[in-house]
Amino acid sequence: MTSLKRFAPYYGLLAPYKVAFFVAILCGLLYAVASGLGFPYVVKENIPVIFANSGEFSIEQREAAYAIIDQAPVNEDSKLLIDRVSTATGLDKKGAEVLIDKKPVDWQPKTKDESLLTKTLLLLPLTIFIRAIAGFFNVYLTAYCGVKVLEQVRGQVFSRLQDLPVSYFQNQNKGDLISRLMVDCNLVKQCIVEVSNSLIREPFTFLAALGFLVWLSVTHQENLFLLFCLAAIPVCVLPIRYIGKKLTRRAKQLQAQSGTVTEVASENLGAVREVRAFSLEDSEREKFGHAVSKFLKYQLGVVKYDKSLSPVIELITGMAITGAIYVAYNSQLNLRVDEVIALFLALHMCYQPIKKMGAINNTLKRGVASLDRIEEVLKAPIIVEEKPDAKPLPEPVRGQLRFNNVSFQYTTDKDHPVLRGIDCTLEPGKTYALVGPSGAGKSTFINLVMRFYDPTTGSILLDGHDLRDLGLKDLRNQIALVPQDPVLFNDTIMANIRLSRPDASKGDIFRAAQQANAREFIENEPDGFDTLVGDRGTRLSGGQKQRIAIARAFLRNSPLLILDEASSALDSESESLVQAELDSLMQGKTVLMIAHRFATLKLADEILVFDQGRISARGNHARLMDSSPIYRKLYEKQEL
Ligand code: ATP
């Protein structure tokens, strides 16, 4: 059970629910005793009572006959004995002969003792009752602890996903991450709680049944032969180990493929328009079908190994029991039916836990595969880390940005940096337009200011403080970002604006919407500010989404403002209205705006021209038209 050790660090998650888990385990033990020992014992006690008065002869006939037999002289002629028994019982001679032959060695005259009958018969419902109640609470409390542990495991993974840097997600498959969060967390929970519970309950059931077997064998040596059947138990370990090994590999493949299926489906559902526009329906069907059939192939592999264990163990134990019956038959043992039935039941109770332990081993193997996948997330490095002694920015924040010889590359490829030796100061309260050919590094420059990444070399200072020395939240709270394609959450318009300043009053939100020229369209929506925007804001137009993003920036009112061509999705009428509002939003702030159009450049105090990761020139439009060939080319090609 080395697999179990892998889960050891996570047992702490059970600590807050230790009482419930302890009671669950106790109930499991009670269930184990009732199953492994209670049932065989009850059967052993019940059978003689139940069959005492049954059969082809009545109790009176047996009593009369056995009294004669017991008192008969040792050398009495058998014919005479048959005659005497026949007369006393009223049976014919053949019947009397059978009755004499079937006399058990230890027969005791049984009276119809009603109280004994009641007592013995009550044992069965009582055992069933105890087993049922203990079984229910064992399962229920285990499930309760399981739900709580799942909540924590999922919480930890989700929380880690919130802290991981943007770069992490660029190398990951979104569907796969969702699958880790949903499917893998569930399997890990199963191993921490349910498997641990079974690992106590099943061996205990086994030991209880084994104890009963040993007791019966010791008290009645004739039964010793049945212990022969137990020899099959070590043999069961072989298929358990073999199948477990096979299952581990299949389980890993299955879990990874489940992520791929989720990814294909979520990508497709997120691109409904593109799929229709480019007539991708058939190729998408094919892609999904391919992913699903691969998933089903792996699933069948898992089912094959998972479900083959039980029949294999049954086969081994069946052969052992058959062997024992053969030995018993050949040895001419004087066996008692009640004890033999009880022994077989106890044997069954011994094999059951072995079978279940095999299944547990399979679950553990699958659980380890899932734990590996979860730990890949939990242990992924947080490259953009907050220092433990991160200091808050001294107020008031002026918004001066200084780039000290900053170079950066996304990958480890040192020969191709995306930004090279950027050295510049952006003064507070000024507006800077970032222009340059596609891929020149404008967005990367912004990403570094937001600290989505840290510079590979050099440093960036805000008001003289290295960004790496500041708290991440503290830094980002000083920045309002209006992206080109804003993302809205599936909530009301009010909630979507409020997320830039959670403590804002309704009045602040109305004002921000007004400033962003968004209030009119919002109030025309059926539920006004309480209108739900749909998944990623699909119920709103591009321009409406952008106005909401601008309202967020107004509400945050931070010293740094980043506009990624913020008015590009607006119609010309709204644009001229918003330009005026953007103008007022920019007042007193350090603004960085990625400009793709000449109109936007008019708002800037200075233009920074990016080229192949460097700032190749800076100045106003007229100066750059004279001094920067790249700028002139961009302007002439209308690529701004
Ligand atoms: P555009 O005007 O087209 O948006 P840009 O000037 O903003 O371009 P960036 O997005 O900063 O350019 O990209 C600069 C370079 O970095 C490009 O060559 C791009 O391929 C590369 N790049 C951008 N993001 C990543 C990433 N996550 N991983 C690796 N390379 C990246």
Short mmCIF file of all heavy atoms in Angstrom, two decimals, residues 371-422:
data_model
loop_
_atom_site.label_atom_id
_atom_site.label_comp_id
_atom_site.label_asym_id
_atom_site.label_seq_id
_atom_site.Cartn_x
_atom_site.Cartn_y
_atom_site.Cartn_z
N LEU A 371 -3.77 12.48 -8.18
CA LEU A 371 -3.00 13.33 -7.25
C LEU A 371 -1.79 13.94 -7.98
O LEU A 371 -1.47 15.11 -7.78
CB LEU A 371 -2.55 12.51 -6.04
CG LEU A 371 -1.92 13.32 -4.92
CD1 LEU A 371 -2.90 14.33 -4.35
CD2 LEU A 371 -1.44 12.42 -3.79
N ASP A 372 -1.16 13.12 -8.85
CA ASP A 372 -0.02 13.65 -9.62
C ASP A 372 -0.46 14.87 -10.42
O ASP A 372 0.23 15.89 -10.46
CB ASP A 372 0.51 12.59 -10.61
CG ASP A 372 1.27 11.49 -9.88
OD1 ASP A 372 1.61 11.71 -8.70
OD2 ASP A 372 1.50 10.43 -10.49
N ARG A 373 -1.65 14.74 -11.04
CA ARG A 373 -2.13 15.84 -11.88
C ARG A 373 -2.50 17.07 -11.05
O ARG A 373 -2.27 18.20 -11.46
CB ARG A 373 -3.34 15.36 -12.71
CG ARG A 373 -2.95 14.46 -13.86
CD ARG A 373 -4.12 13.68 -14.41
NE ARG A 373 -5.27 14.50 -14.71
CZ ARG A 373 -5.41 15.26 -15.79
NH1 ARG A 373 -4.46 15.31 -16.69
NH2 ARG A 373 -6.52 15.97 -15.99
N ILE A 374 -3.04 16.82 -9.88
CA ILE A 374 -3.40 17.95 -9.01
C ILE A 374 -2.15 18.65 -8.49
O ILE A 374 -2.06 19.87 -8.44
CB ILE A 374 -4.28 17.45 -7.85
CG1 ILE A 374 -5.68 17.18 -8.37
CG2 ILE A 374 -4.33 18.45 -6.72
CD1 ILE A 374 -6.62 16.72 -7.34
N GLU A 375 -1.15 17.81 -8.13
CA GLU A 375 0.07 18.41 -7.57
C GLU A 375 0.85 19.20 -8.63
O GLU A 375 1.59 20.11 -8.28
CB GLU A 375 0.93 17.32 -6.93
CG GLU A 375 0.33 16.89 -5.61
CD GLU A 375 1.21 15.98 -4.80
OE1 GLU A 375 2.11 15.36 -5.38
OE2 GLU A 375 0.98 15.89 -3.58
N GLU A 376 0.65 18.82 -9.89
CA GLU A 376 1.30 19.63 -10.93
C GLU A 376 0.81 21.07 -10.84
O GLU A 376 1.55 22.01 -11.11
CB GLU A 376 0.96 19.06 -12.32
CG GLU A 376 1.90 17.95 -12.74
CD GLU A 376 1.39 17.19 -13.94
OE1 GLU A 376 0.62 17.77 -14.74
OE2 GLU A 376 1.74 16.01 -14.06
N VAL A 377 -0.47 21.23 -10.47
CA VAL A 377 -1.01 22.59 -10.30
C VAL A 377 -0.56 23.18 -8.96
O VAL A 377 -0.05 24.29 -8.90
CB VAL A 377 -2.57 22.57 -10.37
CG1 VAL A 377 -3.13 23.97 -10.15
CG2 VAL A 377 -3.03 22.01 -11.69
N LEU A 378 -0.72 22.37 -7.89
CA LEU A 378 -0.43 22.90 -6.56
C LEU A 378 1.05 23.27 -6.40
O LEU A 378 1.39 24.16 -5.62
CB LEU A 378 -0.81 21.87 -5.48
CG LEU A 378 -2.30 21.64 -5.28
CD1 LEU A 378 -2.53 20.55 -4.24
CD2 LEU A 378 -3.01 22.90 -4.84
N LYS A 379 1.92 22.54 -7.14
CA LYS A 379 3.36 22.81 -6.98
C LYS A 379 3.95 23.62 -8.13
O LYS A 379 5.17 23.80 -8.19
CB LYS A 379 4.12 21.49 -6.81
CG LYS A 379 3.72 20.82 -5.50
CD LYS A 379 4.49 19.57 -5.20
CE LYS A 379 4.08 19.03 -3.83
NZ LYS A 379 4.51 17.68 -3.59
N ALA A 380 3.09 24.09 -9.04
CA ALA A 380 3.60 24.91 -10.15
C ALA A 380 4.20 26.19 -9.56
O ALA A 380 3.62 26.78 -8.65
CB ALA A 380 2.47 25.25 -11.11
N PRO A 381 5.37 26.58 -10.07
CA PRO A 381 6.01 27.76 -9.45
C PRO A 381 5.25 29.05 -9.74
O PRO A 381 4.74 29.24 -10.84
CB PRO A 381 7.39 27.78 -10.13
CG PRO A 381 7.22 27.01 -11.38
CD PRO A 381 6.13 26.02 -11.18
N ILE A 382 5.17 29.89 -8.71
CA ILE A 382 4.58 31.21 -8.90
C ILE A 382 5.74 32.13 -9.22
O ILE A 382 6.48 32.56 -8.34
CB ILE A 382 3.82 31.65 -7.63
CG1 ILE A 382 2.68 30.67 -7.36
CG2 ILE A 382 3.30 33.07 -7.77
CD1 ILE A 382 1.85 30.97 -6.17
N ILE A 383 5.96 32.36 -10.54
CA ILE A 383 7.15 33.11 -10.93
C ILE A 383 7.03 34.57 -10.48
O ILE A 383 7.98 35.16 -10.02
CB ILE A 383 7.38 33.05 -12.46
CG1 ILE A 383 7.07 31.66 -12.98
CG2 ILE A 383 8.79 33.44 -12.82
CD1 ILE A 383 6.93 31.61 -14.48
N VAL A 384 5.82 35.11 -10.65
CA VAL A 384 5.63 36.50 -10.22
C VAL A 384 5.16 36.44 -8.77
O VAL A 384 3.98 36.33 -8.47
CB VAL A 384 4.58 37.20 -11.10
CG1 VAL A 384 4.36 38.63 -10.65
CG2 VAL A 384 5.05 37.18 -12.55
N GLU A 385 6.14 36.45 -7.87
CA GLU A 385 5.80 36.21 -6.47
C GLU A 385 5.76 37.51 -5.68
O GLU A 385 6.48 38.45 -6.00
CB GLU A 385 6.84 35.28 -5.86
CG GLU A 385 6.18 34.11 -5.18
CD GLU A 385 7.19 33.10 -4.71
OE1 GLU A 385 8.31 33.04 -5.24
OE2 GLU A 385 6.85 32.37 -3.79
N GLU A 386 4.93 37.51 -4.65
CA GLU A 386 4.90 38.68 -3.77
C GLU A 386 5.89 38.40 -2.64
O GLU A 386 5.86 37.32 -2.05
CB GLU A 386 3.49 38.83 -3.21
CG GLU A 386 3.30 40.09 -2.43
CD GLU A 386 1.84 40.26 -2.04
OE1 GLU A 386 1.45 39.67 -1.02
OE2 GLU A 386 1.11 40.97 -2.73
N LYS A 387 6.77 39.36 -2.36
CA LYS A 387 7.75 39.14 -1.29
C LYS A 387 7.02 39.11 0.04
O LYS A 387 6.04 39.83 0.23
CB LYS A 387 8.76 40.29 -1.29
CG LYS A 387 9.75 40.23 -2.42
CD LYS A 387 10.82 41.27 -2.22
CE LYS A 387 11.85 41.18 -3.33
NZ LYS A 387 12.73 42.36 -3.32
N PRO A 388 7.50 38.27 0.98
CA PRO A 388 6.82 38.24 2.29
C PRO A 388 6.84 39.61 2.97
O PRO A 388 5.92 39.95 3.70
CB PRO A 388 7.63 37.23 3.10
CG PRO A 388 8.62 36.62 2.16
CD PRO A 388 8.65 37.38 0.90
N ASP A 389 7.90 40.42 2.69
CA ASP A 389 7.98 41.73 3.33
C ASP A 389 7.58 42.85 2.36
O ASP A 389 8.09 43.97 2.45
CB ASP A 389 9.40 41.97 3.87
CG ASP A 389 10.44 41.84 2.76
OD1 ASP A 389 10.08 41.32 1.68
OD2 ASP A 389 11.60 42.26 2.95
N ALA A 390 6.66 42.49 1.41
CA ALA A 390 6.22 43.49 0.43
C ALA A 390 5.67 44.72 1.16
O ALA A 390 4.91 44.58 2.11
CB ALA A 390 5.16 42.89 -0.47
N LYS A 391 6.09 45.90 0.67
CA LYS A 391 5.66 47.10 1.40
C LYS A 391 4.54 47.82 0.62
O LYS A 391 4.51 47.77 -0.62
CB LYS A 391 6.85 48.03 1.63
CG LYS A 391 7.63 48.34 0.38
CD LYS A 391 8.82 49.22 0.69
CE LYS A 391 9.46 49.60 -0.63
NZ LYS A 391 10.82 49.68 -0.70
N PRO A 392 3.66 48.50 1.34
CA PRO A 392 2.61 49.24 0.64
C PRO A 392 3.18 50.52 0.01
O PRO A 392 4.17 51.05 0.49
CB PRO A 392 1.60 49.59 1.75
CG PRO A 392 2.36 49.48 3.01
CD PRO A 392 3.54 48.59 2.79
N LEU A 393 2.56 50.94 -1.07
CA LEU A 393 3.03 52.16 -1.74
C LEU A 393 2.71 53.38 -0.89
O LEU A 393 1.57 53.53 -0.44
CB LEU A 393 2.29 52.30 -3.05
CG LEU A 393 3.00 51.95 -4.34
CD1 LEU A 393 2.04 52.08 -5.49
CD2 LEU A 393 4.22 52.81 -4.56
N PRO A 394 3.68 54.23 -0.64
CA PRO A 394 3.35 55.42 0.16
C PRO A 394 2.37 56.33 -0.58
O PRO A 394 2.49 56.52 -1.78
CB PRO A 394 4.70 56.11 0.34
CG PRO A 394 5.73 55.19 -0.19
CD PRO A 394 5.06 54.19 -1.07
N GLU A 395 1.38 56.83 0.14
CA GLU A 395 0.38 57.74 -0.43
C GLU A 395 0.94 59.16 -0.41
O GLU A 395 1.77 59.47 0.47
CB GLU A 395 -0.91 57.68 0.41
CG GLU A 395 -1.57 56.32 0.45
CD GLU A 395 -2.43 56.03 -0.77
OE1 GLU A 395 -2.70 56.97 -1.56
OE2 GLU A 395 -2.82 54.88 -0.95
N PRO A 396 0.55 60.07 -1.24
CA PRO A 396 -0.25 59.81 -2.43
C PRO A 396 0.63 59.25 -3.55
O PRO A 396 1.79 59.60 -3.67
CB PRO A 396 -0.76 61.21 -2.79
CG PRO A 396 0.31 62.12 -2.30
CD PRO A 396 0.93 61.48 -1.11
N VAL A 397 0.02 58.35 -4.35
CA VAL A 397 0.77 57.75 -5.46
C VAL A 397 0.77 58.76 -6.62
O VAL A 397 -0.28 59.22 -7.04
CB VAL A 397 0.12 56.41 -5.88
CG1 VAL A 397 0.88 55.80 -7.04
CG2 VAL A 397 0.07 55.45 -4.70
N ARG A 398 1.97 59.11 -7.09
CA ARG A 398 2.05 60.13 -8.15
C ARG A 398 1.87 59.49 -9.53
O ARG A 398 1.28 60.07 -10.42
CB ARG A 398 3.39 60.85 -8.08
CG ARG A 398 3.56 61.69 -6.80
CD ARG A 398 4.83 62.49 -6.81
NE ARG A 398 6.00 61.65 -7.05
CZ ARG A 398 6.87 61.83 -8.05
NH1 ARG A 398 6.69 62.79 -8.92
NH2 ARG A 398 7.91 61.02 -8.19
N GLY A 399 2.43 58.29 -9.68
CA GLY A 399 2.27 57.59 -10.96
C GLY A 399 3.46 57.76 -11.89
O GLY A 399 3.31 57.68 -13.10
N GLN A 400 4.65 57.97 -11.33
CA GLN A 400 5.84 58.04 -12.20
C GLN A 400 6.36 56.62 -12.46
O GLN A 400 6.54 55.84 -11.52
CB GLN A 400 6.94 58.86 -11.53
CG GLN A 400 8.07 59.14 -12.50
CD GLN A 400 9.41 59.27 -11.81
OE1 GLN A 400 9.78 58.45 -10.97
NE2 GLN A 400 10.14 60.31 -12.17
N LEU A 401 6.59 56.31 -13.73
CA LEU A 401 7.10 54.97 -14.08
C LEU A 401 8.51 55.09 -14.64
O LEU A 401 8.76 55.93 -15.51
CB LEU A 401 6.20 54.32 -15.13
CG LEU A 401 4.95 53.60 -14.63
CD1 LEU A 401 4.09 53.20 -15.81
CD2 LEU A 401 5.31 52.36 -13.81
N ARG A 402 9.42 54.26 -14.13
CA ARG A 402 10.79 54.31 -14.64
C ARG A 402 11.21 52.89 -15.06
O ARG A 402 11.12 51.95 -14.26
CB ARG A 402 11.69 54.87 -13.53
CG ARG A 402 13.14 54.66 -13.69
CD ARG A 402 13.89 55.92 -14.19
NE ARG A 402 15.19 55.54 -14.76
CZ ARG A 402 15.45 55.47 -16.05
NH1 ARG A 402 14.55 55.81 -16.95
NH2 ARG A 402 16.63 55.08 -16.48
N PHE A 403 11.61 52.77 -16.32
CA PHE A 403 12.12 51.49 -16.82
C PHE A 403 13.65 51.58 -16.82
O PHE A 403 14.21 52.44 -17.52
CB PHE A 403 11.64 51.22 -18.25
CG PHE A 403 10.27 50.62 -18.30
CD1 PHE A 403 9.16 51.32 -17.87
CD2 PHE A 403 10.09 49.32 -18.79
CE1 PHE A 403 7.89 50.77 -17.93
CE2 PHE A 403 8.83 48.76 -18.83
CZ PHE A 403 7.73 49.48 -18.40
N ASN A 404 14.30 50.74 -16.03
CA ASN A 404 15.77 50.76 -15.94
C ASN A 404 16.36 49.62 -16.76
O ASN A 404 16.36 48.47 -16.32
CB ASN A 404 16.22 50.54 -14.48
CG ASN A 404 16.27 51.82 -13.71
OD1 ASN A 404 16.46 52.88 -14.28
ND2 ASN A 404 16.11 51.71 -12.39
N ASN A 405 16.74 49.92 -17.97
CA ASN A 405 17.42 48.93 -18.81
C ASN A 405 16.70 47.57 -18.81
O ASN A 405 17.30 46.52 -18.54
CB ASN A 405 18.87 48.79 -18.29
CG ASN A 405 19.76 48.21 -19.36
OD1 ASN A 405 19.39 48.23 -20.53
ND2 ASN A 405 20.91 47.67 -18.96
N VAL A 406 15.42 47.60 -19.11
CA VAL A 406 14.59 46.38 -19.00
C VAL A 406 14.66 45.52 -20.26
O VAL A 406 14.45 46.02 -21.36
CB VAL A 406 13.12 46.76 -18.69
CG1 VAL A 406 12.21 45.55 -18.82
CG2 VAL A 406 13.00 47.38 -17.32
N SER A 407 14.98 44.27 -20.04
CA SER A 407 14.88 43.29 -21.15
C SER A 407 13.96 42.16 -20.69
O SER A 407 13.87 41.88 -19.49
CB SER A 407 16.25 42.71 -21.48
OG SER A 407 17.07 43.71 -22.01
N PHE A 408 13.32 41.55 -21.67
CA PHE A 408 12.37 40.49 -21.29
C PHE A 408 12.20 39.49 -22.42
O PHE A 408 12.20 39.85 -23.59
CB PHE A 408 11.02 41.11 -20.94
CG PHE A 408 9.96 40.09 -20.65
CD1 PHE A 408 9.93 39.43 -19.43
CD2 PHE A 408 9.00 39.75 -21.61
CE1 PHE A 408 8.97 38.45 -19.16
CE2 PHE A 408 8.05 38.77 -21.35
CZ PHE A 408 8.04 38.14 -20.13
N GLN A 409 12.07 38.22 -22.03
CA GLN A 409 11.68 37.20 -23.02
C GLN A 409 10.69 36.25 -22.35
O GLN A 409 10.76 36.00 -21.15
CB GLN A 409 12.90 36.46 -23.55
CG GLN A 409 13.46 35.38 -22.70
CD GLN A 409 14.92 35.64 -22.31
OE1 GLN A 409 15.53 36.61 -22.76
NE2 GLN A 409 15.44 34.80 -21.46
N TYR A 410 9.71 35.79 -23.16
CA TYR A 410 8.67 34.90 -22.62
C TYR A 410 9.23 33.51 -22.39
O TYR A 410 8.84 32.83 -21.47
CB TYR A 410 7.49 34.81 -23.58
CG TYR A 410 6.63 36.06 -23.60
CD1 TYR A 410 6.75 37.02 -24.60
CD2 TYR A 410 5.68 36.26 -22.60
CE1 TYR A 410 5.94 38.14 -24.62
CE2 TYR A 410 4.88 37.39 -22.62
CZ TYR A 410 5.01 38.33 -23.62
OH TYR A 410 4.23 39.44 -23.61
N THR A 411 10.12 33.10 -23.28
CA THR A 411 10.64 31.74 -23.19
C THR A 411 12.08 31.77 -22.66
O THR A 411 12.57 32.83 -22.31
CB THR A 411 10.62 31.08 -24.59
OG1 THR A 411 11.36 31.93 -25.45
CG2 THR A 411 9.22 30.90 -25.10
N THR A 412 12.71 30.59 -22.64
CA THR A 412 14.09 30.57 -22.15
C THR A 412 15.09 30.92 -23.27
O THR A 412 16.29 30.95 -23.04
CB THR A 412 14.43 29.17 -21.58
OG1 THR A 412 13.95 28.20 -22.51
CG2 THR A 412 13.82 28.95 -20.23
N ASP A 413 14.54 31.20 -24.44
CA ASP A 413 15.39 31.51 -25.60
C ASP A 413 16.01 32.91 -25.44
O ASP A 413 15.42 33.92 -25.80
CB ASP A 413 14.51 31.44 -26.87
CG ASP A 413 15.32 31.73 -28.11
OD1 ASP A 413 16.56 31.88 -27.99
OD2 ASP A 413 14.72 31.81 -29.20
N LYS A 414 17.24 32.94 -24.92
CA LYS A 414 17.89 34.22 -24.58
C LYS A 414 18.28 35.03 -25.82
O LYS A 414 18.50 36.23 -25.75
CB LYS A 414 19.15 33.95 -23.73
CG LYS A 414 18.79 33.54 -22.31
CD LYS A 414 19.99 33.68 -21.40
CE LYS A 414 19.59 33.30 -19.98
NZ LYS A 414 20.37 32.30 -19.36
N ASP A 415 18.37 34.33 -26.98
CA ASP A 415 18.80 35.05 -28.19
C ASP A 415 17.70 35.91 -28.79
O ASP A 415 17.97 36.73 -29.67
CB ASP A 415 19.28 34.03 -29.24
CG ASP A 415 20.50 33.29 -28.73
OD1 ASP A 415 21.22 33.88 -27.88
OD2 ASP A 415 20.72 32.14 -29.14
N HIS A 416 16.45 35.67 -28.38
CA HIS A 416 15.35 36.44 -28.99
C HIS A 416 14.50 37.14 -27.94
O HIS A 416 13.34 36.78 -27.73
CB HIS A 416 14.46 35.51 -29.85
CG HIS A 416 15.21 34.92 -30.99
ND1 HIS A 416 15.76 33.65 -30.93
CD2 HIS A 416 15.55 35.43 -32.20
CE1 HIS A 416 16.40 33.41 -32.07
NE2 HIS A 416 16.29 34.47 -32.85
N PRO A 417 15.07 38.16 -27.28
CA PRO A 417 14.25 38.86 -26.28
C PRO A 417 13.14 39.67 -26.97
O PRO A 417 13.31 40.14 -28.10
CB PRO A 417 15.26 39.78 -25.58
CG PRO A 417 16.41 39.90 -26.49
CD PRO A 417 16.42 38.71 -27.38
N VAL A 418 12.02 39.77 -26.27
CA VAL A 418 10.87 40.50 -26.81
C VAL A 418 11.04 42.00 -26.53
O VAL A 418 10.66 42.85 -27.33
CB VAL A 418 9.56 39.95 -26.19
CG1 VAL A 418 8.36 40.76 -26.61
CG2 VAL A 418 9.38 38.50 -26.59
N LEU A 419 11.61 42.33 -25.37
CA LEU A 419 11.97 43.72 -25.07
C LEU A 419 13.47 43.74 -24.83
O LEU A 419 14.02 42.85 -24.19
CB LEU A 419 11.23 44.21 -23.82
CG LEU A 419 9.70 44.40 -23.92
CD1 LEU A 419 9.15 44.91 -22.61
CD2 LEU A 419 9.31 45.33 -25.06
N ARG A 420 14.14 44.78 -25.35
CA ARG A 420 15.61 44.85 -25.21
C ARG A 420 16.02 46.22 -24.66
O ARG A 420 15.74 47.23 -25.30
CB ARG A 420 16.32 44.71 -26.55
CG ARG A 420 15.86 43.58 -27.38
CD ARG A 420 16.09 43.93 -28.87
NE ARG A 420 15.44 42.92 -29.68
CZ ARG A 420 16.10 42.02 -30.39
NH1 ARG A 420 17.40 42.02 -30.43
NH2 ARG A 420 15.43 41.14 -31.11
N GLY A 421 16.65 46.18 -23.53
CA GLY A 421 17.26 47.39 -22.96
C GLY A 421 16.38 48.61 -22.95
O GLY A 421 16.80 49.70 -23.37
N ILE A 422 15.14 48.47 -22.52
CA ILE A 422 14.23 49.64 -22.47
C ILE A 422 14.64 50.52 -21.30
O ILE A 422 14.69 50.05 -20.16
CB ILE A 422 12.76 49.20 -22.30
CG1 ILE A 422 12.35 48.26 -23.43
CG2 ILE A 422 11.83 50.38 -22.11
CD1 ILE A 422 11.60 48.87 -24.54
#
